[in-house]
Amino acid sequence: MAKRIEFSQHGGPEVLNFVDYSPKEPAEHEIQIENRAIGINFIDTYVRSGLYPVPALPSGLGTEAAGVVVKTGSQVTGFKPGDRVVYAQSPLGAYSEVHNVPVNAVAHLPNDISFEQAAASSLKGMTVYYLLNQTYKIQKDEVFLFHAAAGGVGLIACQWAKALGAKMIGTVGSEEKAQRAKAAGAWEVINYQTENIAERVKEITHGEKVNVVYDSVGQATWLASLDSLKRRGLMVSFGNASGAVTGVNLGILNQKGALYVTRPSLGVYVTNRAELDQASNALFDMILSGKVNVDVPASQIFALKDAQKAHQTLEQRKTQGSSLLIP
């Protein structure tokens, strides 16, 4: 018997319940992992609310954690009980003490990276990796716009951009978050509560605007993002924190300069063992070199049973960087 978070209906944080459950034996290509630290991601709130459908209810929640291998399926090679591991794309259910994960979603965790650092950075860090290196390859000295720069993905992006020698303009919602993003490596910051995003981008770039915008906010920043792009620039929409972008008139892309739009996700960029190893090793190298720091403030570390409170804090925009659940 073990404990996990599950929900039987869609809704607010109050639908999350802390329950007993009996973990199944791992299937032939699965690894059973005892979680030591669990990553909280904004996408988890989309699943809980019903924006992203689940196969069936009741359902577990969460896809990211770090821990220790307990058992392996009969066809699993390369992993054994006691191994330190991390995963970011498991089937729903990572908000648990024990979780079964397909072997191709699991990476070995270097000894010098803590379970907390791994769970706080795996999904977010590999997201930054594909965004800045594969969706659009950011060059040294290149100026670009990245929304929610003080969020979990954003703070890693600030540091990664600095390591690349690039000039990231980050948007934030408060002066405190502006300071945090600057400290992490943002070249310039825009407080969207007090400044017009597109006008400030034009001002910062002396009228040039940018080749690429990374937008995880969605509906609230859609037009500002398009208005910040150069002719034939690329809009990368990778999240919906303010609501999904819907009812788009494709003609607006032409009107604003024959713009390109893409809607990527980690699940499309990391689909097999080779791609997982490439992305995770790139992230591990950044952490081990000290170029990316993913320490989580104590105020954003919650007991597993307090998942409701963790989601409330996240959705109230009270967090900076990553948050964790600890079994």
Side-chain angles (χ1 to χ4, degrees):
M1 194 67 74
K3 292 281 194 181
R4 76 168 187 167
I5 296 293
E6 69 175 32
F7 59 101
S8 298
Q9 64 186 64
H10 294 295
E14 70 279 356
V15 303
L16 300 179
N17 299 306
F18 186 53
V19 302
D20 291 314
Y21 85 113
S22 297
K24 295 179 181 179
E25 288 295 304
E28 59 181 16
H29 293 289
E30 287 184 334
I31 298 175
Q32 188 170 92
I33 298 167
E34 180 182 278
N35 291 332
R36 300 294 177 82
I38 301 159
I40 303 172
N41 294 286
F42 214 94
I43 194 172
D44 302 341
T45 70
Y46 303 158
V47 174
R48 186 209 71 222
S49 69
L51 179 64
Y52 289 1
V54 298
L57 294 172
S59 172
L61 189 62
T63 62
E64 175 183 38
V68 176
V69 175
V70 179
K71 299 176 184 177
T72 59
S74 60
Q75 299 300 308
V76 170
T77 59
F79 294 89
K80 64 184 185 303
D83 284 354
R84 303 172 79 252
V85 293
V86 61
Y87 58 91
Q89 297 188 90
S90 76
L92 291 174
Y95 284 20
S96 62
E97 292 177 340
V98 177
H99 191 35
N100 293 344
V101 183
V103 63
N104 280 344
V106 181
H108 283 284
L109 180 63
N111 289 331
D112 290 337
I113 298 177
S114 71
F115 295 119
E116 292 79 10
Q117 287 175 312
S121 67
S122 185
L123 188 146
K124 301 174 186 71
M126 289 195 293
T127 295
V128 172
Y129 169 73
Y130 84 71
L131 288 174
L132 303 191
N133 292 277
Q134 295 175 315
T135 305
Y136 177 97
K137 192 164 182 62
I138 295 293
Q139 303 295 324
K140 185 176 186 295
D141 293 324
E142 183 163 16
V143 182
F144 67 98
L145 181 65
F146 202 106
H147 289 292
V153 175
L155 283 178
I156 294 175
C158 289
Q159 297 173 77
W160 208 302
K162 183 178 180 181
L164 293 174
K167 297 177 177 178
M168 176 175 144
I169 304 171
T171 70
V172 295
S174 71
E175 184 54 39
E176 181 185 3
K177 290 185 175 183
Q179 293 173 5
R180 183 81 189 273
K182 286 281 278 188
W187 177 61
E188 292 282 357
V189 290
I190 298 170
N191 184 340
Y192 61 77
Q193 300 283 11
T194 59
E195 299 176 290
N196 180 289
I197 294 171
E199 288 180 5
R200 279 290 291 135
V201 168
K202 196 171 181 181
E203 184 180 313
I204 291 167
T205 60
H206 306 292
E208 290 288 312
K209 301 200 267 190
V210 296
N211 289 319
V212 62
V213 175
Y214 297 99
D215 190 337
S216 62
V217 178
Q219 188 179 55
T221 49
W222 167 249
L223 289 178
S225 292
L226 299 185
D227 287 336
S228 299
L229 285 165
K230 293 180 182 179
R231 181 169 57 96
R232 299 177 64 196
L234 174 64
M235 163 65 169
V236 183
S237 174
F238 69 102
N240 315 292
S242 69
V245 178
T246 58
V248 175
N249 172 10
L250 288 179
I252 198 172
L253 301 178
N254 174 262
Q255 294 162 18
K256 293 183 181 294
L259 304 177
Y260 294 89
V261 178
T262 185
R263 182 64 173 83
S265 68
L266 185 62
V268 175
Y269 277 81
V270 175
T271 64
N272 56 46
R273 165 60 54 192
E275 290 169 349
L276 173 62
D277 288 345
Q278 180 182 17
S280 60
N281 287 336
L283 173 62
F284 295 155
D285 288 347
M286 294 294 277
I287 294 172
L288 292 170
S289 68
K291 293 175 182 175
V292 167
N293 181 332
V294 288
D295 291 338
V296 179
S299 63
Q300 291 173 210
I301 299 176
F302 303 86
L304 177 59
K305 64 181 177 63
D306 294 327
Q308 286 189 12
K309 182 180 179 184
H311 274 222
Q312 288 167 356
T313 305
L314 183 66
E315 291 183 302
Q316 290 167 358
R317 304 292 195 272
K318 292 180 178 178
T319 63
Q320 295 179 25
S322 301
S323 298
L324 294 174
L325 295 171
I326 306 295

